[in-house]
Every structure is written in structure tokens, then in C-alpha cells.
Amino acid sequence: MISPADPPEDAGARGPGLKLLAVTACPTGIAHTYMAAEKLAQAAQALGHEIKVETQGSIGAENVLTDNDVREADGIIVAADKDVDLSRFVGKRVLTVGVAEGIHHPERLIDRVRTAPVHRGAGPGAGAAGPPGAEGGRERGALYKALMNGVSYMIPFVVVGGLLIAVSLALGGHTTPEGIVFHSSFWQSVHDIGVIGFTLMIPILSGYIAYAVGDRPALVPGMVGGWIASHGELYDSKAGAGFIGAIATGFLAGYVVRWIRKVTVPEFVRPIMPVIVIPIVATSAVGLFFVYVIGRPIAWVFEHLTNWLGSLTGTSAALLGVLLGLMIAFDMGGPVNKTAFLFGAGLVSRNPEVMGMCAAAIPVPPLGQGLATVLRRGLFTQQERETGLAALFMGFFGITEGAIPFAAARPARVIPANMLGGAVAGAVAGLATVKDSVPHGGPIVAVLGAVGGVPMFFVAIAVGTVVTAMATVTLMTLGGGAAPRMPGAVAAVPAVPPAAGGGSVEVTGAATALSGHLTEASVRPWLAARSKEAAIHELAGLLAATGRVTDLDGLVGAVLAREALGTTGLGEEIAIPHAKTDAVAAPVVGFARSEEGVEWGAPDGTKARLIFMIAVPEEMAGDEHLRILAMLSRKLMDPGFRERLLSAGGVGEVMGVLGEVS
């Protein structure tokens, strides 16, 4: 770590001949990282400046900036869409922007860094590039990445906790009027361990959202805030705030920490800020705010919802079933869900039909989301598909929380789908007068003999599950997911490519480029697709022709999921859709050209005419092939190379041009 330097008061007036540093990074570290580095280097050379660029890609940091580099630098440009440690730049002029700015406006950045603010820091590790709201960044993208950070850490707790509870119920449980109890202390212990996992999932979700927003000092306030959110007894509520409350406390903790870090403190206090002062102040603030400000409305909502449901017991069974189903599926463990469940549980002895409606709706969210991952695998990532299988299992045992990872990742699409299926299941159960004599739900209660009207109970669950799955798939497709396609289908290819210097070409697959990751079999002179989604499907089918793709739908889903984080349209008529996924057995690269261009959302507004698709297995995400792809990204910044690639005739000529990458 270097010592803080004095502010470079004269750096802005030195004119040509500046000594500059830069750091480039994108979330996946494959294309944007290296293209931004090449553009900055070219611009600096043209303007007569010296520049050294550190790239933080999937293969790790390269051309790393040393303490001497920093000490002698007149300014630092950080063009990144992920966290970059700025503490080593204390005392230097630092300009932080999104990575796209480095690609499209390098000259402007070099000019602006002369008058950029001096980075003062806020203790060890302070200052991450590309926070929400940073210049050149995208607030929505940063918020989404923070949310997904929390979801990814939460999923193992959901799966482990849910499956342990399910196993204990299946092998050691039996029904009583009080609920499901266990034959032995062993299965009770297994169940308790599962409950611990479930209890921790809400604080984990909150904590790692906070961590993504405010870095390490935000982890403790985020987790403590999540624990408070999930324990309603701390704010006089019979139900906690569930995963929605955890999302709120996660972002709240993260932004509180970021605000505290901006406060100027004496020099002697700075070393203890990130380990003592910030966590204590932020934890107290978030915790007390939730208990005294947010918690009271939650308790009020719980009480009044309970009273309102009590007033509806004499109404239509179908209407009551719809309402209970909507509430059960809304927040999956939050105050609305708990209100409906406890209302039904309280009437088990006097009116078991009410609990029957709840019991039918309880498994629908996890079963529906699990079924959706089976029906349309291409819409989901590999991790989501694995979570979907666990959700199916949890749904059978009445564990509604199995759907939380899906709802947390896509609340606007998943929650309405869950509610629609839950309402249908509740209505069918109400109309059929299904009875449940224990305060639990899911098919397991019927298997254990606690349900009256078993056939219609299963019909209600099945119909609700299908409705949820179909609604989820529909909403995801309309919201920008994969275009409808039969599993395994590949986009059609024209028999004769458009005339552009070549006729039809016989693809032999013999020649290779880019260290063998791109072959003649994975090159198509001209795309048939006219939209981005269709192009992704067509290119995925092209990669499948190499024999390296094990799951075509999984590959498409992974690429679309990467696009959801931010466009891979780089400008200059280039797009490089890519994914790290176990849907491929080995690294593979495909290339195709578009005669008219495909709208890819590039920052410079150009349509993509040169399109590369890159897919690598998860376990090989840091191997040599990424070095080749880094060189490709840099080469694509050469206008002459791009022109030769566009004007090449058939596959053989295209492979010859790509052979220049070295």
C-alpha cells in the first residue's frame, strides 16, 4: 500500500506529456475490459501521453500498477462496472466511470482526468469504482447486481435448510392435531438443523446485498438488519418481514455505510472507521430504524389483516380461497403469508376447510417455479435450474420458502405468477371443501393422512402449479427473456448466403483459429436472424455443431442471463455475447456476420454486424482461452481488421483473417 500523496495541484496544468494510469474491468471480464484498455492506450498515444492500463479480467489482473507507477502518475482513470480497490490511489486525481465510457470516449476521459477530484479515501479498502450513481454507471444495473449477490449467497441456505426439513418430515414425521411431530429425537434434531438454515437465509440475503453496496463494513449491519426483519417479536409483530424486509434492510445498510464513509473524520480515527466505527453506527441505525419505524407498520398490517380475514369467514368459500391463496403466495414467510397461515391454523379444530385452502396454496410457489425451470430451461441459469429441482422437492413438503430465490431475483415477474397460481389453488380447494386437520400444507399432509378430500386437494395443487409455471414463463418471455422456441430447435440457415464476395461454402471443421476454440464448423458467413434473441439462438445452434455443447437450452439461458446484466453490444458494429456455463464441455467460440446489422443496444447506437459468441465451462473460466479472447477484443479495435473481416468471402477467408489474432 502506498502512502497518501500530496494533491497533484499542477497535474491539471501540465498539458501534453502526462503520465497516466488506468484500470479497466467489467462484470465478466471477457470483452469490455480489454477493449476499453486498448481504446485508452490508442487515445493516449495519439494525444502524446504515456499510459499504463491494468486490466482486471477473468484471467486475473494483468499489467498490474505498482506503487512507483502510482507515485509518479498525474491521474488515474478507472473505467469499470465492478468493484475496484481505490485505496492505493489516495492523494491522486481519480476519474471513475463505467467501462463503456473507456471504449467510446477515451479522449474525453483523458481530458477530464486533468481536473478530476483528488481521492481522499476513507480507510483501508475504501472506495470502490462503479457504485450506483457513479458517473457513467447505471443505477439499475448496480442495484440488480447487489440484489443478485445476496440471492446467490442465500440459495445454499434455502436448499440445505429446506431439504433437511423435508427429509425429517418424510422419514420421521407423523400428524397430530397440533401439527406434524417426530417419532424420535434424531429426526427432531435433523429438522431443527434445517430450521437453522432457513432462519439464516434472510440475514444472509440482507447481509450480502449490503456487502455489494457498501463493501465489507456493511456486512454486519446488513446481517443484523436481516435478522431483525425476520424476527417479528422484536417489533411486537407475530410475523417477520420476510425476504422483502431483508432486501430493504440490505440496501438500507449498504447505503448508510456509504454515507458514513463520506463523513470527514480526523486522521487518527480513519484506521478504525471500517472495523469499529462504521459497523457499530450503521448496525445501530439500521436496527433501531427497523424496530421503531418500519416494524410498527408491519405489526399493524398483520393485526388488521387478521381481523379482516375473520370478518370474511361467512362469505363464499371460493372468494376466501382466492384471498388466502394470494396472501400465502405473496411474500412466502412475510407478514402477509403468516397472517393467512396463522388464520387457517387457528381454525383447524373448528373449520378445517380454511386450513385446506391454505394447505393447497402453500406448495404452489416452489412447485410452480420448479416446473417453470423444467418447461423452459433456456430461460434460467444453471444455478437456477438446480435450485428449481430443490424447489420441487421442497414444494412437496409444503415449504413455500423454496420459491424465495426466484422471487428475490425477479420480483416483478415471479410474485404475480405465484399469486395467480396460489389464488387458483385456494379457490379450487374452497369450492371442493377440502379439509386439513393439521397446521401444515403441501402434498405431504395428504400422504400422512391429514387431508379430507384428497383427490381434489391434489387437483387444486396441480392446477395452481401449472398456472404459476405458465405465468412465470410468459412474464419472463414478455419481459425480455428468450423468444419462444421448441427445446433443442436451431434457427434456420439460408442455403445460399447473401452475395458478399462468396457463394455457399462447405464447412469441413478442419481449420481452426483462436487456439482451436473457433473452427470452420462454428463460423457462419451470414446470419439469418434479425433480432438479438434470434441471433443468440442461431449462434448457440452454431456452437452446438462443434459437439462441445451439452445443453443447448442451458447455453441460451446463460447467454441471455449475461445480457440481462448489461448489453454485450460494444459499438463499432461489434457484439460479443458470452457466458460461463456448464452447458458446454469445453471452451468454444462462434462467429457470424450480419448483412443488415442486429440491434444489440450498443452505447454508440450502431447495429452489430460482427458477432462472436463465447462459451466456457465454469471450472475453466480462468484458462488460456481467455487470453486469446483478450487479444481478439483488442484486435477488434483496429478498423482495418474489422474491414477485412466484413469483406472476407466465405468461411475460408474469414478463418484467414481471424488467423491474424496473435
Side-chain angles (χ1 to χ4, degrees):
M1 182 68 67
I2 64 169
S3 300
D6 293 329
E9 300 297 341
D10 62 339
R14 287 177 57 176
L18 297 178
K19 185 169 185 177
L20 303 175
L21 302 177
V23 180
T24 62
C26 67
T28 54
I30 293 182
H32 295 72
T33 299
Y34 304 103
M35 298 180 79
E38 187 68 14
K39 278 289 191 178
L40 286 167
Q42 291 175 358
Q45 182 179 11
L47 295 172
H49 303 305
E50 180 182 349
I51 191 169
K52 179 178 179 180
V53 186
E54 174 183 307
T55 55
Q56 296 187 4
S58 291
I59 54 177
E62 295 181 288
N63 206 29
V64 176
L65 306 179
T66 66
D67 287 354
N68 287 335
D69 292 330
V70 175
R71 188 176 298 112
E72 298 171 4
D74 297 312
I76 295 103
I77 299 169
V78 179
D81 287 338
K82 70 174 187 177
D83 290 345
V84 173
D85 181 13
L86 301 185
S87 60
R88 53 183 168 157
F89 305 140
V90 170
K92 293 292 181 178
R93 297 190 184 279
V94 179
L95 177 65
T96 59
V97 297
V99 71
E101 287 288 299
I103 297 173
H104 302 294
H105 306 292
E107 297 87 355
R108 184 190 305 172
L109 299 184
I110 291 172
D111 181 62
R112 287 168 51 199
V113 76
R114 300 168 184 257
T115 55
V118 175
H119 180 61
R120 298 294 182 184
E135 191 171 1
R138 295 175 62 195
E139 179 75 15
R140 180 182 177 187
L143 293 176
Y144 177 77
K145 286 187 284 185
L147 177 61
M148 292 309 298
N149 190 62
V151 171
S152 65
Y153 279 100
M154 175 188 69
I155 285 175
F157 290 85
V158 177
V159 173
V160 171
L163 295 186
L164 285 178
I165 292 174
V167 168
S168 65
L169 292 174
L171 301 180
H174 66 277
T175 58
T176 70
E178 290 74 34
I180 298 179
V181 298
F182 298 94
H183 300 296
S184 67
S185 59
F186 173 80
W187 290 115
Q188 180 68 60
S189 297
V190 172
H191 179 269
D192 292 343
I193 293 171
V195 169
I196 291 172
F198 251 29
T199 303
L200 288 174
M201 73 172 175
I202 298 300
I204 291 294
L205 172 63
S206 177
Y208 280 96
I209 290 174
Y211 180 84
V213 174
D215 211 345
R216 189 172 299 173
L219 188 59
V220 171
M223 286 194 174
V224 173
W227 183 273
I228 293 172
S230 64
H231 287 73
E233 65 272 15
L234 296 174
Y235 40 92
D236 299 324
S237 174
K238 293 182 180 179
F243 81 96
I244 295 177
I247 293 173
T249 56
F251 282 110
L252 178 63
Y255 283 104
V256 166
V257 166
R258 284 176 56 176
W259 177 79
I260 296 174
R261 288 167 67 166
K262 294 179 181 179
V263 177
T264 302
V265 297
E267 189 71 29
F268 71 90
V269 178
R270 288 185 181 179
I272 65 172
M273 285 290 288
V275 293
I276 297 177
V277 178
I278 293 177
I280 290 176
V281 173
T283 300
S284 301
V286 172
L288 292 173
F289 180 78
F290 202 95
V291 169
Y292 289 104
V293 179
I294 300 178
R296 294 188 183 280
I298 291 174
W300 183 89
V301 167
F302 181 88
E303 179 182 353
H304 284 74
L305 278 177
T306 302
N307 293 336
W308 177 63
L309 284 176
S311 68
L312 295 176
T313 52
T315 62
S316 163
L319 174 60
L320 185 59
V322 167
L323 294 174
L324 289 173
L326 289 171
M327 294 171 69
I328 288 288
F330 173 65
D331 53 2
M332 291 159 285
V336 177
N337 170 282
K338 279 294 189 291
T339 298
F341 175 77
L342 294 177
F343 176 74
L347 294 174
V348 162
S349 60
R350 295 183 289 112
N351 193 353
E353 292 87 354
V354 175
M355 191 61 217
M357 304 173 198
C358 295
I362 283 171
V364 165
L367 291 176
Q369 295 306 317
L371 180 60
T373 65
V374 173
L375 294 176
R376 289 298 303 274
R377 293 171 58 83
L379 291 176
F380 300 90
T381 65
Q382 179 67 24
Q383 185 184 44
E384 287 174 327
R385 294 197 298 272
E386 292 171 356
T387 305
L389 293 177
L392 288 170
F393 195 66
M394 284 185 269
F396 179 83
F397 291 93
I399 304 171
T400 315
E401 289 85 349
I404 285 179
F406 299 96
R410 304 180 183 88
R413 302 172 191 175
V414 171
I415 292 178
N418 287 347
M419 293 175 67
L420 183 60
V424 170
V428 172
L431 288 172
T433 320
V434 171
K435 299 179 181 180
D436 181 11
S437 59
V438 298
H440 197 79
I444 183 64
V445 293
V447 173
L448 295 177
V451 171
V454 172
M456 288 308 298
F457 178 65
F458 280 109
V459 168
I461 293 174
V463 173
T465 297
V466 171
V467 168
T468 289
M470 297 307 297
T472 298
V473 168
T474 301
L475 291 173
M476 289 180 65
T477 302
L478 294 176
R485 183 174 64 97
M486 291 299 291
V490 179
V493 185
V496 180
S504 60
V505 179
E506 181 182 356
V507 178
T508 65
T512 64
L514 301 177
S515 290
H517 302 311
L518 183 142
T519 69
E520 289 187 1
S522 58
V523 171
R524 179 160 294 161
W526 301 105
L527 279 173
R530 294 292 182 266
S531 68
K532 179 165 74 171
E533 289 78 8
I536 288 173
H537 281 290
E538 188 172 344
L539 283 162
L542 191 61
L543 297 189
T546 67
R548 299 184 183 184
V549 177
T550 59
D551 181 354
L552 184 58
D553 284 343
L555 172 60
V556 171
V559 175
L560 290 173
R562 170 59 187 88
E563 291 291 331
L565 295 176
T567 180
T568 56
L570 306 177
E572 309 283 1
E573 299 184 321
I574 302 164
I576 308 184
H578 50 266
K580 302 174 190 175
T581 172
D582 290 331
V584 294
V588 60
V589 181
F591 171 68
R593 300 174 299 186
S594 173
E595 187 176 37
E596 298 179 1
V598 177
E599 179 56 55
W600 218 279
D604 65 357
T606 60
K607 292 185 177 181
R609 299 188 66 202
L610 301 174
I611 308 172
F612 291 84
M613 178 177 281
I614 301 162
V616 299
E618 289 280 358
E619 68 273 11
M620 301 179 68
D623 287 346
E624 176 64 19
H625 67 281
L626 285 179
R627 299 185 186 277
I628 303 298
L629 299 177
M631 288 188 287
L632 170 63
S633 299
R634 292 189 175 106
K635 191 69 175 177
L636 285 168
M637 292 296 94
D638 178 358
F641 177 78
R642 296 198 302 271
E643 182 60 33
R644 290 192 298 277
L645 202 51
L646 276 171
S647 60
V651 173
E653 289 187 31
V654 170
M655 294 295 291
V657 176
L658 290 174
E660 298 177 21
V661 180
S662 60

